[in-house]
Amino acid sequence: MKPNQRQVVLVRDVEALAESAAERLLARVAHVEDRAAICLTGGTSPEGLYKRLAQDPYRGALPWDRIHWFIGDERFVPADDMRNNMGVARRLLLDHVGVPAGNIHPIATDAASPDAAARLYEAELKRFYGRDRLDPANLLFDLVLMGLGRDGHTASLFPNSPALDEQQRWVVGVEQAGLAPFVPRVTLTLPALASTHEMLFLVSGDDKCETLARVLSGVDLPASRAHADGDLVWLIDRAVGLEDLDASE
Ligand code: 6PG
């Protein structure tokens, strides 16, 4: 499969962003006959989606026992720290819907270092996938959620970081975050994130307009480099302020 062109979808407000993302997630899982793999993201942009999925109709409609939940990047803080990305997903979603414990795949932030946690997570992803090399004919994830930082970062891939150029490893440790919270991070790399049937960026917040315009016009930022073997969709809350720009490609 060839990397797809970006589709830009503008929605009315944050409520519509959550609703539209929930619909896409439900549709994506419906396509999968056996287990589905979803890679969640950190930050505030997915919070509305997480809360929405924990309620009906999604709560009743999703086949929770056959969905596996991963995280695209993690802050290297204890699992119960409020800044822990999987912790947020648990509090807002996973704790409320009866997901089998073995279907939740957190990054081990009690490992000796971010690099050690990255290696453990890479091994876990490979175990789940059942092979050591990514195969474009057999994608790792069904859906990968992504966010956009003010500096153009996505996952924990910050501008000018060597992690951006990583082609072999699926997960790496990042000692220095480029934006708050300034804690070490663990992140999936661009090739691992790309191995998905759909990559869905969720963009909201009135401080994103300029960065988003730069991404959409092709400026080389980490988020501009994110690609998918399947569909690449940017779901954008109109309040970001893009109306006046030509967002279509
Ligand atoms: C993190 C992230 C990060 C986030 C963006 C957007 O752990 O911080 O995963 O890449 O998605 O910074 O964050 P907001 O949604 O809060 O704007």
Side-chain angles (χ1 to χ4, degrees):
M1 254 183 279
K2 284 244 167 67
N4 275 341
Q5 246 198 323
R6 179 193 297 138
Q7 302 165 42
V8 175
V9 181
L10 292 176
V11 294
R12 201 175 56 249
D13 52 23
V14 279
E15 292 298 314
L17 187 92
E19 185 67 33
S20 172
E23 281 300 316
R24 296 192 77 97
L25 187 148
L26 182 62
R28 200 43 80 175
V29 169
H31 275 116
V32 184
E33 278 171 17
D34 47 10
R35 61 182 192 174
I38 296 183
C39 187
L40 300 173
T41 183
T44 52
S45 304
E47 290 184 357
L49 166 66
Y50 295 166
K51 290 180 194 160
R52 185 65 59 108
L53 292 174
Q55 296 161 6
D56 283 326
Y58 302 103
R59 189 175 193 278
L62 281 162
W64 298 102
D65 54 338
R66 62 178 182 86
I67 307 178
H68 286 255
W69 304 90
F70 296 85
I71 191 86
D73 75 305
E74 189 54 273
R75 290 98 178 258
F76 200 66
V77 295
D80 60 359
D81 185 298
M82 296 302 278
R83 297 168 298 179
N84 186 282
N85 286 338
M86 190 58 107
V88 172
R90 285 183 196 271
R91 280 191 297 282
L92 299 182
L93 169 61
L94 303 173
D95 287 351
H96 305 283
V97 289
V99 178
N103 288 19
I104 304 177
H105 304 264
I107 289 175
T109 53
D110 56 355
S113 64
D115 183 62
R119 289 179 191 279
L120 286 170
Y121 206 53
E122 181 164 326
E124 177 154 359
L125 286 170
K126 287 179 173 172
R127 247 189 330 270
F128 179 83
Y129 186 54
R131 57 187 84 189
D132 281 349
R133 284 183 168 275
L134 293 166
D135 174 2
N138 184 353
L139 301 176
L140 172 58
F141 297 115
D142 294 290
L143 179 68
V144 169
L145 300 177
M146 300 281 264
L148 173 68
R150 272 185 293 109
D151 59 351
H153 82 264
T154 190
S156 282
L157 297 162
F158 294 94
N160 305 316
S161 162
L164 274 173
D165 298 314
E166 180 59 51
Q167 292 299 316
Q168 300 307 319
R169 289 183 59 184
W170 298 14
V171 191
V172 294
V174 175
E175 288 297 335
Q176 185 93 40
L179 219 60
F182 292 102
V183 294
R185 312 286 186 100
V186 178
T187 188
L188 269 64
T189 58
L190 290 173
L193 292 163
S195 184
T196 181
H197 289 280
E198 178 173 342
M199 178 179 281
L200 182 63
F201 272 84
L202 302 177
V203 186
S204 64
D206 52 14
D207 57 346
K208 299 280 171 69
C209 187
E210 199 186 314
T211 314
L212 184 58
R214 295 179 73 210
V215 170
L216 297 181
S217 65
V219 175
D220 183 18
L221 292 170
S224 328
R225 291 206 202 176
H227 57 281
D229 287 327
D231 297 336
L232 173 58
V233 181
W234 280 66
L235 197 55
I236 300 167
D237 170 7
R238 280 188 189 280
V240 169
L242 260 195
E243 283 101 301
D244 302 333
L245 301 169
D246 179 10
S248 57
E249 296 216 348

